[in-house]
Amino acid sequence: MFSGQWLTEEELPKNIDTSSLKQHPGIIKGRCQRCGNRKRYKLARFPHAACGKKCLYCRNCIQMGRITECQPLYQMPSSHQLPQRDTLAWRGTLTSHQQHASDNITETILQNDTLLVHAVCGAGKTEMIFSGIEQALEDGKRVCIATPRADVVRELHPRLEKAFPGIPVACLYGGHSEQKTYTPIVLSTTHQLFRYKQAFDVLIIDEVDAFPYHNDPSLQWATQKAARKQSSIIYLTATPRKQQKHLPKVFVPVRYHGHPLPVPAFHLAPRIKTKLPDFPPSKRQLLLFAPTITRATEIAEELRIPVVHSESPDREEIILGFRKKEIHTLVTTTILERGVTFPSVDVYVIDAGHEVFDEAALVQIAGRAGRSADDPFGDVRFYMEGKTDAIIEARHSINSMNKRGGEL
């Protein structure tokens, strides 16, 4: 059940013979061996009862248990996995662009190589990875799909279980991080990769440009650490960052249904930070994106509608209610900017000029609309005090991708 995991002494199963396990100092030369942190302000000393000294410990990954320089991390051996055939039950049809990406993913897995899949929002990235996962399982490889957001993990889990009905899939995220049995497929947040060392033959990192992955070196370090020496790493994104563009790449420029991405309309609203404009009535469900939790809460109270954000205690229930169409209009922060699919929504961004809405975030938010083949359109509106570079670049990026898709 702990195959390939890093464990502190407190996490070890009872009655296990530690002499049979590889042991590593928790901190070596000022660097945490679990999360890779070596920033001094994230390291501290405390009196440790085990050795009677003031020992260095890591504050960066303290939520997963204390890592110290005087106590080891134990590496649990990786289980041998038998090849498994005919695991994929999904019988959908890929477009030519999806098939091209799928073939590249499968070949990358066969060659233990690295690939960046740049696919526009709504291109159907999840379906593109199915054949690659099937190939990995047939070759006796263990697969991990990791993404920065817990909401995306919860959405992907039933889709993977349906696609691979005979294969156990672990679902790990904050508060649900205990893997009770060995599974050939692990679905997790990127933070959960801290728990693994050389555990996976295939690592698929979804939404690789998203916060906090793209600007957190410890998460990127954890990815490399969790992969076996001979392994493949597939990065998926709709909005690649500059530092990712050197990777071998395959580009999917059109949505799976063939329709273009909705282009956002700009609406000037000089008092948008404190006063809401008069919104047009929406026949579709409506997502209102606000820049902060405080502003989202204010809007929800003013309109007397539900709100969901990173601190919402009933977050899962609210999102499920929206998905079931029990909620028509939902206020949210950037936690729903990517990775979640609602079939027919309009999207309004409140105070789109706020610094939290960079180009990638605005492109991803616009990409929530028009995702269904039954309703491939959607009204996307950016309400702002004035245009920012991010706003202009986001619309330019969407128009550019639509143009490239239309030329193929």
Side-chain angles (χ1 to χ4, degrees):
M1 61 184 288
F2 294 104
S3 176
Q5 290 196 25
W6 278 114
L7 297 177
T8 62
E9 189 170 353
E10 291 77 12
E11 293 172 321
L12 286 172
K14 293 181 179 180
N15 304 319
I16 192 170
D17 180 10
T18 57
S19 64
S20 64
L21 303 178
K22 289 184 179 180
Q23 299 182 28
H24 307 264
I27 297 176
I28 300 176
K29 295 182 179 180
R31 184 170 199 171
C32 175
Q33 296 304 293
R34 181 167 64 187
C35 73
N37 169 57
R38 52 185 169 192
K39 294 179 180 177
R40 291 186 177 182
Y41 73 92
K42 290 187 176 181
L43 295 168
R45 293 187 179 275
F46 82 114
H48 198 282
C51 66
K53 299 178 181 178
K54 283 190 174 182
C55 291
L56 202 64
Y57 75 96
C58 179
R59 296 193 295 121
N60 188 58
C61 58
I62 188 68
Q63 72 276 11
M64 293 185 171
R66 194 188 299 270
I67 298 295
T68 71
E69 62 183 342
C70 69
Q71 287 187 305
L73 279 167
Y74 296 89
Q75 184 179 354
M76 303 295 284
S78 295
S79 301
H80 177 69
Q81 185 169 308
L82 295 175
Q84 302 183 65
R85 298 183 181 276
D86 300 321
T87 57
L88 181 60
W90 184 76
R91 293 294 180 262
T93 303
L94 298 178
T95 67
S96 59
H97 301 294
Q98 287 177 312
Q99 189 63 58
H100 177 64
S102 177
D103 292 343
N104 274 263
I105 291 169
T106 302
E107 184 62 25
T108 299
I109 290 172
L110 285 168
Q111 299 299 323
N112 291 323
D113 213 336
T114 302
L115 180 70
L116 173 68
V117 180
H118 177 192
V120 299
C121 297
K125 295 192 298 295
T126 302
E127 288 74 17
M128 295 179 210
I129 67 175
F130 285 165
S131 290
I133 296 173
E134 181 184 35
Q135 181 65 58
L137 295 173
E138 187 173 318
D139 293 342
K141 295 180 177 180
R142 194 182 192 194
V143 179
C144 177
I145 304 103
T147 181
R149 306 286 175 85
D151 296 290
V152 181
V153 171
R154 287 190 287 266
E155 173 154 317
L156 285 177
H157 190 215
R159 296 174 67 184
L160 282 170
E161 288 189 317
K162 185 176 181 180
F164 298 92
I167 303 298
V169 180
C171 185
L172 311 177
Y173 54 93
H176 298 77
S177 59
E178 183 181 353
Q179 185 166 4
K180 297 180 179 179
T181 59
Y182 173 86
T183 60
I185 300 176
V186 173
L187 174 61
S188 76
T189 56
T190 48
H191 276 90
Q192 296 301 319
L193 295 180
F194 288 150
R195 300 184 182 277
Y196 292 91
K197 181 177 175 64
Q198 296 181 9
F200 302 108
D201 305 285
V202 178
L203 264 172
I204 300 173
I205 311 297
D206 193 16
E207 305 294 353
V208 68
D209 64 298
F211 175 85
Y213 186 88
H214 84 272
N215 61 352
D216 189 338
S218 68
L219 291 174
Q220 297 161 31
W221 187 83
T223 298
Q224 300 298 324
K225 178 178 65 66
R228 287 183 175 141
K229 291 181 180 179
Q230 293 293 319
S231 61
S232 53
I233 302 180
I234 314 294
Y235 298 102
L236 309 177
T237 181
T239 47
R241 306 278 176 170
K242 290 181 180 179
Q243 61 267 33
Q244 297 154 0
K245 292 185 178 179
H246 70 282
L247 296 170
K249 182 176 76 172
V250 60
F251 180 46
V252 183
V254 292
R255 291 182 150 189
Y256 76 95
H257 51 52
H259 292 272
L261 297 160
V263 179
F266 295 170
H267 295 269
L268 292 177
R271 299 172 61 191
I272 191 63
K273 292 186 183 297
T274 57
K275 180 178 173 58
L276 291 176
D278 293 327
F279 300 130
S282 174
K283 294 182 180 179
R284 302 179 181 91
Q285 287 179 281
L286 177 61
L287 281 172
L288 295 177
F289 282 86
T292 65
I293 293 175
T294 299
R295 187 68 180 119
T297 303
E298 292 172 349
I299 294 170
E301 290 176 351
E302 181 178 343
L303 298 179
R304 297 182 180 181
I305 56 177
V307 60
V308 65
H309 49 72
S310 61
E311 298 176 7
S312 300
D314 49 358
R315 175 170 159 185
E316 293 183 49
E317 291 78 6
I318 293 173
I319 294 173
L320 181 60
F322 189 75
R323 196 177 299 284
K324 290 181 175 180
K325 298 187 178 181
E326 297 168 355
I327 298 170
H328 178 269
T329 303
L330 178 63
V331 185
T332 184
T333 57
T334 54
I335 64 161
L336 293 185
E337 77 175 31
R338 62 178 72 224
V340 292
T341 299
F342 305 108
S344 181
V345 297
D346 290 332
V347 175
Y348 300 167
V349 183
I350 309 302
D351 194 10
H354 192 283
E355 62 184 2
V356 75
F357 295 125
D358 61 10
E359 177 192 351
L362 290 171
V363 170
Q364 290 280 0
I365 288 170
R368 297 313 96 203
R371 298 178 73 92
S372 170
D374 295 328
D375 183 15
F377 310 104
D379 187 10
V380 179
R381 296 169 175 247
F382 292 172
Y383 289 91
M384 71 205 86
E385 289 185 328
K387 297 177 184 177
T388 62
D389 288 344
I391 289 172
I392 295 170
E393 290 164 2
R395 188 160 74 174
H396 173 75
S397 177
I398 291 170
N399 280 322
S400 178
M401 285 185 284
N402 283 343
K403 182 179 179 181
R404 291 181 68 177
E407 292 173 349
L408 296 175

